[in-house]
Amino acid sequence: MDTLLLSRIQFGANISFHILFPTITIALGWVLLFFKLRFNKTGDQKWMDAYMFWVKIFALSFAMGVVSGITMSFQFGTNWPGFMETVGNVAGPLLAYEIMTAFFLEAVFLGIMLFGASRVKNWVHTLATFLVAFGTTMSTFWIIVLNSWMHTPQGYEVIDGVVHATNWMEIIFNPSMPYRFVHMMLASGLTVAFLIAGISALRMLWGDRGEAVKSTLRFGIITGAVLIPLQILAGDMHGLNTLEYQPAKVAAMEGNWETQSNVPLVLFAVPNQETRSNDFEISIPNGASMILTHKADGVVPGLNDFVGEDGEILHPRVAPVFYAFRIMIGTGVAMLLLSWGGAFLLRRYGAGEMPKLPLLAFTAMSFSGWIATLAGWYTTEIGRQPWLVQGVLTTKDAVSDVPASMVLSTLIGYLAVYAVLIVAYIGVITYLARKATKGEPFSNRRYPRRGEVNIATLQPGE
């Protein structure tokens, strides 16, 4: 294991840990805004109870995301100096745009959102919630812009080995950006939907039959049932875009070695890179051609097209991409079946009488969004290899020359800390759910409804 491989593993570990938390905060901010608007409109305390419970999970996730993001960004200098040296003229401004349009917005209004419900006017608190949710979305937008540009670079020129921007509109709205942005937003929505449904189901299993938990269970199930078909459609469109711009990745995803028509859909196989074939293959005739070209005799690229004349492999390692893609699809199918089944049971029994077995299933699927997101991320990022920026910069040309032993020692340290933090994070969420189930108030404050005066904002003599 040399410096290149260890640095890839270290960055993969860092970004895997980091992405878990923005995946929650991106959509949860908008969910909190929905809860707050429902409270403003109806005056029903259950919506404010739901808000005050889930805003704590938002705060916890936000803090974890910020800390892990800082750690990850350091590696641009410590592990991957060639990245900024080569494409810093593009990557630097995009990261700066994220700070200016997202971090500043979140930093200003997060405190009002978390602690101002009983201290500021109701409309101010609602506005703060909206601006924080908007800030998380803007942060996502700029990160996806940079990541998409690395996959489908446009609007640049190379002078003396350094990339310079020539058209910022082409850089920002590069060919894969719209598909990736929509795909990520829907992934976050599904992650939050199943998290809300799962934690609400857990509280119901513990005996909580309050109106707030029944409403959040219903919200999570219905949201998941609505979003999963949209994600399948977005995934199909993203796949067609990837086929056009990164055919080697698609070939690895499908486990297809030869460019040909009538390519079967491989459900399971053991890709063998030495023999350049699949062992123990189970497939559906013409399936891959139908999905990727929408024609049974459509031509699908094969991995053997991406081997240099000197034998150099110009495609990613097949097994990680192949299996990660199937884990993502399998998790998505489980989400589809469970959410639609849950929606049927809601219609038949109502949230308060949901049978125990589906409640257990939703509890078990609480963090299923994490699994699907990570599997999709691995498919995307490993599938780009050997390129760091497609057609511009290879991964091996960007890595630092620090000793492998130094990278290994920091990798072990990162993994140990992340293991403790992830257990602590899930433990805190469980603690909050248990506390809410027991009916222990998080605060004795009464939050003003629409049209009411918040006495905390009155001045002496008023």
Side-chain angles (χ1 to χ4, degrees), residues 333-413:
V333 171
M335 286 178 164
L336 175 68
L337 296 175
L338 183 58
S339 61
W340 282 19
F344 171 78
L345 294 174
L346 279 178
R347 183 177 179 86
R348 182 172 182 179
Y349 297 105
E353 301 299 327
M354 181 75 71
K356 183 177 180 180
L357 185 59
L359 291 177
L360 288 170
F362 277 108
T363 301
M365 290 282 284
S366 295
F367 294 95
S368 57
W370 279 0
I371 298 173
T373 299
L374 287 177
W377 197 255
Y378 293 159
T379 301
T380 296
E381 299 306 305
I382 299 175
R384 182 178 53 198
Q385 298 301 315
W387 298 102
L388 191 57
V389 179
Q390 187 76 34
V392 177
L393 176 66
T394 62
T395 306
K396 66 180 181 181
D397 289 334
V399 72
S400 67
D401 57 358
V402 299
S405 58
M406 183 178 295
V407 182
L408 178 61
S409 62
T410 54
L411 171 61
I412 294 173

Side-chain angles (χ1 to χ4, degrees), residues 62-82:
F62 187 89
M64 297 282 279
V66 169
V67 172
S68 58
I70 293 172
T71 304
M72 185 182 66
S73 64
F74 284 153
Q75 293 185 58
F76 287 135
T78 58
N79 294 66
W80 305 100

Side-chain angles (χ1 to χ4, degrees), residues 199-228:
I199 298 301
S200 300
L202 179 63
R203 290 173 60 179
M204 294 193 74
L205 288 170
W206 284 341
D208 190 344
R209 289 297 187 271
E211 290 301 316
V213 72
K214 288 191 288 186
S215 295
T216 53
L217 176 64
R218 187 182 301 110
F219 173 85
I221 293 174
I222 294 175
T223 302
V226 171
L227 292 184
I228 189 65

Side-chain angles (χ1 to χ4, degrees), residues 136-349:
T136 61
T137 301
M138 287 302 299
S139 178
T140 306
F141 174 80
W142 290 115
I143 292 300
I144 292 297
V145 165
L146 175 56
N147 181 260
S148 299
W149 183 83
M150 293 165 65
H151 286 266
T152 54
Q154 300 284 323
Y156 71 95
E157 63 179 353
V158 180
I159 303 175
D160 297 329
V162 177
V163 171
H164 295 267
T166 59
N167 188 319
W168 279 104
M169 292 301 291
E170 290 183 2
I171 290 173
I172 294 172
F173 297 100
N174 61 78
S176 65
M177 190 282 291
Y179 303 99
R180 293 179 188 279
F181 180 68
V182 171
H183 203 50
M184 185 65 209
M185 292 299 294
L186 289 171
S188 178
L190 284 168
T191 299
V192 170
F194 276 85
L195 178 64
I196 290 176
I199 298 301
S200 300
L202 179 63
R203 290 173 60 179
M204 294 193 74
L205 288 170
W206 284 341
D208 190 344
R209 289 297 187 271
E211 290 301 316
V213 72
K214 288 191 288 186
S215 295
T216 53
L217 176 64
R218 187 182 301 110
F219 173 85
I221 293 174
I222 294 175
T223 302
V226 171
L227 292 184
I228 189 65
L230 297 177
Q231 182 69 308
I232 293 172
L233 176 61
D236 177 66
M237 297 174 67
H238 187 191
L240 296 178
N241 177 266
T242 305
L243 177 63
E244 179 179 356
Y245 290 95
Q246 294 178 301
K249 181 190 298 185
V250 172
M253 289 161 55
E254 298 298 332
N256 184 48
W257 296 93
E258 297 292 342
T259 299
Q260 56 188 329
S261 60
N262 302 98
V263 176
L265 176 63
V266 179
L267 300 179
F268 178 79
V270 179
N272 190 327
Q273 199 147 313
E274 293 184 1
T275 63
R276 307 194 67 76
S277 63
N278 295 330
D279 300 330
F280 311 109
E281 182 175 297
I282 301 174
S283 59
I284 299 175
N286 304 327
S289 291
M290 284 294 298
I291 292 173
L292 292 170
T293 68
H294 298 171
K295 296 184 296 183
D297 60 349
V299 176
V300 176
L303 290 160
N304 288 333
D305 287 354
F306 303 96
V307 180
E309 295 181 358
D310 58 354
E312 181 183 5
I313 302 299
L314 301 176
H315 62 73
R317 290 196 61 82
V318 180
V321 178
F322 181 85
Y323 291 127
F325 181 67
R326 274 144 189 80
I327 292 172
M328 180 187 69
I329 296 297
T331 306
V333 171
M335 286 178 164
L336 175 68
L337 296 175
L338 183 58
S339 61
W340 282 19
F344 171 78
L345 294 174
L346 279 178
R347 183 177 179 86
R348 182 172 182 179
Y349 297 105

